[in-house]
Amino acid sequence: MLRKKAIDFIFRRSELNKNHENNICSTPSKNRINDVILFIKQYLKNPKEIGSLIPSSNTLSKMMTDSIIGHGDTLIELGAGTGVFTKQIKLKFKDHKFYVFEKNTNFHENLLNIKNIDLYCDALDIINIIDKNKTKVSDVISGLPLRSIDNKISNIILSHAFCLLINGGQFIQFTYGLKSPISNNFLKEHNMVLNKKIYVIKNIPPATIYIYKKIL
């Protein structure tokens, strides 16, 4: 009963936030309700893996999507969760090849409902799945909880993602911390720089988008 009340309260908070962003009164869609419930259940099972108690807001989703340059022919999303970013990216970049990675089995199954994406489980396999010589990856969008992932694992994923980017390509990461989740030394080793930082207040909790750029 206590868990149900907590879920109901958090969902109401997320919907109030959503309606405030749109400046309208609306009834939450069935898909949104299902996504929120699924997200909370997975968070309660493994908070370190999920990183947040509820899915990202529309504001965060829009800012992440608007940050994509899309100069290449391929996009990558790491840690797609319930597909909040995935759906928006697919609508905006219909002609791009789109690789999506999500390890959580419940989220992965949910993402199967999104058409015309190449869906995979483990981001550690990214370099073996995507052929650098046949694709031009302009953007990698990440919802991975980098602060919670084992440092060795996150370094492997990041180094492979950076390697796949074209010159001028971007690695777009959101986090709930005020400090960059990727160190300057690691960025320098991989020809990456922090290009832009965006604060997103209209999200629960407030988030920060870090946009890293590849410079050869």
Side-chain angles (χ1 to χ4, degrees), residues 119-174:
L119 181 61
Y120 297 92
C121 291
D122 201 335
L124 282 170
D125 297 328
I126 184 173
I127 202 72
N128 299 318
I129 293 171
I130 303 172
D131 189 340
K132 183 180 179 180
N133 298 316
K134 294 182 180 180
T135 59
K136 293 182 179 179
V137 181
S138 62
D139 301 82
V140 177
I141 303 90
S142 173
L144 294 173
L146 294 179
R147 299 181 190 280
S148 303
I149 300 175
D150 179 84
N151 196 50
K152 290 183 179 179
I153 293 175
S154 64
N155 283 349
I156 292 172
I157 294 172
L158 290 173
S159 61
H160 287 172
F162 293 164
C163 177
L164 290 169
L165 285 171
I166 60 174
N167 187 28
Q170 299 183 140
F171 185 92
I172 306 169
Q173 172 76 46
F174 87 90

Side-chain angles (χ1 to χ4, degrees), residues 144-212:
L144 294 173
L146 294 179
R147 299 181 190 280
S148 303
I149 300 175
D150 179 84
N151 196 50
K152 290 183 179 179
I153 293 175
S154 64
N155 283 349
I156 292 172
I157 294 172
L158 290 173
S159 61
H160 287 172
F162 293 164
C163 177
L164 290 169
L165 285 171
I166 60 174
N167 187 28
Q170 299 183 140
F171 185 92
I172 306 169
Q173 172 76 46
F174 87 90
T175 180
Y176 300 115
L178 296 176
K179 182 180 178 182
S180 170
I182 308 174
S183 71
N184 288 331
N185 287 337
F186 190 85
L187 291 171
K188 187 176 181 180
E189 289 174 7
H190 295 83
N191 300 316
M192 300 289 294
V193 294
L194 176 57
N195 188 49
K196 192 175 182 180
K197 184 162 58 173
I198 304 171
Y199 297 107
V200 185
I201 304 300
K202 293 181 180 179
N203 192 72
I204 303 175
T208 306
I209 299 172
Y210 290 87
I211 302 175
Y212 306 95

